[in-house]
Amino acid sequence: MRTCEEPRPPNGQSPIALAAGQSEYGFAEKVVEGMFIVVNSITIKIHSKAFHASFELWQLQGYSVNPNWQQSDLRLTRITDPQRGEVLTFKELTWQTLRIEADATDNGDQDPVTTPLRLITNQGRIQISLKRRTKDCNVVASKLMFLLDDLLWVLTDSQLKAMMKYAESLSEAMEKSAQQRKSLAPESVQVSQ
């Protein structure tokens, strides 16, 4: 994976809905939401102008849960509000081990090369809440919670400097994306009652 210098255009409608030939939240989304996913290992390498990173994950599981974050009947894993035209879904991802490593590549300052940043966690999970519009499946709001059982991390001065460079690089990309979103947003629409 590589980070983009300029943000990509928005994705548009749900690819699931488009493949199923529909434009609304419906059967295809419910089938995908009902999937229970198990992956033995994932390795992702990220290249940026400021850093190279690797992301390794073992024993990943993804599934739908109810609002109390418990596995239950799939009909209880979503809350639909027909008056607002929105649906709220709940997901949980769990893993056995997660290892993240990042190493600075852009050393524009006269600082010595930084030490790679390493983070290892055991028994973690992410809880995801998604609110989508039913008419086009676009995400209106989302919430992510990272819950880690064990966090193994030693942070040195040079790693702290490297972390600041990584954060600076990522914040630039996020700012460009936010500017793109604002420029593509429709002008304020007046609602007639």
Side-chain angles (χ1 to χ4, degrees):
M1 228 192 292
R2 290 192 181 278
T3 58
C4 299
E5 294 295 321
E6 293 299 321
R8 297 178 303 181
N11 292 337
Q13 276 189 320
S14 162
I16 300 163
L18 292 174
Q22 65 187 42
S23 61
E24 294 183 8
Y25 180 86
F27 180 72
E29 281 74 27
K30 290 177 185 174
V31 168
V32 170
E33 285 175 7
M35 289 183 183
F36 186 100
I37 299 171
V38 177
V39 180
N40 286 332
S41 70
I42 296 173
T43 301
I44 300 172
K45 296 194 184 288
I46 302 169
H47 297 281
S48 159
K49 70 176 185 176
F51 64 92
H52 294 293
S54 67
F55 175 88
E56 297 175 55
L57 195 61
W58 290 278
Q59 301 300 316
L60 174 72
Q61 293 184 359
Y63 44 85
S64 294
V65 292
N66 65 23
N68 296 325
W69 305 106
Q70 300 165 343
Q71 290 185 2
S72 64
D73 187 311
L74 284 175
R75 291 172 290 186
L76 304 175
T77 63
R78 65 182 165 273
I79 300 171
T80 306
D81 186 348
Q83 291 178 338
R84 287 182 152 179
E86 296 174 343
V87 63
L88 186 60
T89 56
F90 305 91
K91 306 280 181 219
E92 188 168 71
L93 299 174
T94 62
W95 63 83
Q96 191 69 33
T97 305
L98 167 68
R99 178 186 170 106
I100 300 172
E101 184 171 335
D103 194 7
T105 57
D106 181 18
N107 205 19
D109 302 340
Q110 298 300 345
D111 294 342
V113 175
T114 58
T115 307
L117 185 65
R118 291 184 182 94
L119 173 75
I120 301 171
T121 70
N122 294 318
Q123 299 291 329
R125 65 185 184 271
I126 298 174
Q127 295 175 338
I128 305 167
S129 304
L130 291 172
K131 184 192 291 187
R132 294 184 283 180
R133 286 194 303 251
T134 54
K135 69 176 184 177
D136 58 7
C137 298
N138 284 342
V139 175
V140 176
S142 63
K143 180 180 178 182
L144 263 66
M145 290 192 314
F146 285 89
L147 304 164
L148 306 172
D149 289 354
D150 294 326
L151 179 63
L152 309 171
W153 192 8
V154 175
L155 188 62
T156 64
D157 286 348
S158 65
Q159 287 176 319
L160 186 59
K161 288 178 185 176
M163 191 167 72
M164 297 304 288
K165 288 184 181 185
Y166 309 149
E168 183 181 309
S169 169
L170 291 174
S171 69
E172 287 174 11
M174 290 168 49
E175 284 177 26
K176 287 180 182 178
S177 179
Q179 288 172 353
Q180 179 195 47
R181 204 172 31 247
K182 286 179 184 175
S183 69
L184 294 175
E187 301 213 9
S188 60
V189 179
Q190 293 182 359
V191 179
S192 60
Q193 295 186 19

